[in-house]
Amino acid sequence: MSLRPTPPPADLVASDAARALAEDVGSGDVTAALLPDTADVAYLLCKEDAVVAGRPWFDACHRALDPEVRIDWRVQDGDRVPAGTVLATLSGRARALVTAERTALNFLQTLSGTATTTAAYVDAVHGTGCTILDTRKTLPGLRLAQKYAVRCGGGQNHRIGLYDAVMLKENHVRAAGSLTAAIRAARAAQPALPLIVEVETLTQLEEALAEGCERILIDDFDAASRREAVRRAKSPPFEGRIPLEVSGGVDMTTLRDIAADGVDFVSIGGLTKHVRAIDLSMKLGPAP
């Protein structure tokens, strides 16, 4: 049984929630102020098949407005649920419940959308040995949240930002003068960090294999070139020691064939960039 993904630190989640509530509530919820501030209950309904992600943010939004609110979850982040599932029940102050509703749902529907999309891609490569990765193409301010959602969907994270791995791409190589020069400069400057090298030709692939790195990204290779890249990387003297990643030209119609060619990773910007929110609702009253 796989371990549940670990969410970002609680203070970061609380900061995300506070920022989102501030833009929605502003100087006060003038509609909720019309309601009697009495104790009430509510339930959270998922209206479509989904993979759940975002519980910590949902909770943080509600607790920011009512520290005494009780939220009883019936599912965990990473669970697959069918349409019609009651995800949680809530007990708290009526005004706080309705004020927090939209912001809390915005987090949960967005992160569940990322997790659900990721799970579909993970399912598509099942049995091939290929791992699905995300990218840095995230919604501004929500990178750690979305990368957590990717893990909830069964994917893995690429580098978190510009600071935790060196990744040499076309512009870096051009500025350095050659791929070899760029690799050697990276190793000299940041010997402790992982080095990922993007190549655009089989000649560059041979260069990267000879110089060495932690991963080689073959960008926009056609099918024949991709298979040849896999053959070279897994043949002597390299023996598959440097994994290959594919990026570019990947969608659900091409993914399975790419993975079946023997690449180790496929990175997909659309996991976090092309977000379709999951249809959720929170309703006052007891759960059906």
Side-chain angles (χ1 to χ4, degrees):
M1 182 176 178
S2 61
L3 296 175
R4 296 283 180 183
T6 301
D11 59 345
L12 184 142
V13 173
S15 176
D16 286 346
R19 188 174 65 250
L21 285 167
E23 72 178 5
D24 197 29
V25 178
S27 59
D29 183 346
V30 295
T31 310
L34 303 175
L35 304 177
D37 198 21
T38 55
D40 209 337
V41 296
Y43 64 95
L44 174 61
L45 180 68
C46 186
K47 297 182 176 181
E48 60 182 302
D49 296 352
V51 176
V52 178
R55 275 184 38 170
W57 288 265
F58 184 91
D59 290 354
C61 289
H62 281 282
R63 293 199 170 111
L65 299 184
D66 179 2
E68 303 303 317
V69 67
R70 176 171 175 172
I71 305 173
D72 293 313
W73 285 95
R74 299 182 179 182
V75 299
Q76 300 290 325
D77 276 354
D79 284 353
R80 299 185 182 217
V81 301
T85 299
V86 174
L87 304 180
T89 57
L90 301 88
S91 301
R93 309 301 297 179
R95 290 181 185 176
L97 287 173
V98 298
T99 297
E101 173 192 359
R102 174 41 53 200
T103 301
L105 288 178
N106 284 348
F107 279 112
L108 195 67
Q109 70 187 18
T110 300
L111 299 182
S112 295
T114 291
T116 302
T117 299
T118 301
Y121 279 94
V122 170
D123 289 349
V125 301
H126 180 72
T128 66
C130 182
T131 297
I132 298 298
L133 300 175
D134 56 22
T135 72
R136 288 167 45 242
K137 296 175 182 176
T138 53
L139 300 176
L142 288 180
R143 176 164 299 172
L144 293 183
Q146 283 193 287
K147 282 183 172 282
Y148 167 72
V150 166
R151 299 195 301 277
C152 289
Q156 293 184 16
N157 298 146
H158 209 287
R159 58 179 176 162
I160 300 301
L162 296 172
Y163 56 88
D164 60 329
V166 179
M167 185 168 174
L168 300 176
K169 304 183 79 172
E170 177 186 6
N171 287 335
H172 305 104
V173 172
R174 183 180 183 280
S178 71
L179 185 63
T180 294
I183 291 173
R184 292 178 181 176
R187 284 296 194 204
Q190 298 289 349
L193 289 180
L195 174 59
I196 305 165
V197 178
E198 180 184 271
V199 301
E200 296 182 315
T201 66
L202 289 170
T203 299
Q204 283 191 330
L205 171 73
E206 293 282 356
E207 202 174 346
L209 288 167
E211 286 295 319
C213 57
E214 275 64 52
R215 188 158 75 244
I216 296 174
L217 192 160
I218 52 177
D219 185 44
D220 286 323
F221 276 38
D222 61 28
S225 297
R226 182 174 61 245
R227 287 190 284 270
E228 177 61 16
V230 171
R231 188 193 69 78
R232 294 188 191 188
K234 296 191 174 182
S235 298
F238 307 114
E239 307 287 358
R241 288 189 295 271
I242 301 178
L244 296 184
E245 171 190 344
V246 165
S247 178
V250 180
D251 58 31
M252 290 300 282
T253 66
T254 60
L255 177 61
R256 183 74 189 189
D257 287 342
I258 292 171
D261 283 341
V263 300
D264 304 281
F265 299 96
V266 175
S267 54
I268 302 167
L271 302 182
T272 53
K273 183 178 65 168
H274 302 149
V275 178
R276 189 192 70 79
I278 295 301
D279 191 4
L280 306 170
S281 68
M282 196 187 90
K283 299 181 182 296
L284 290 181

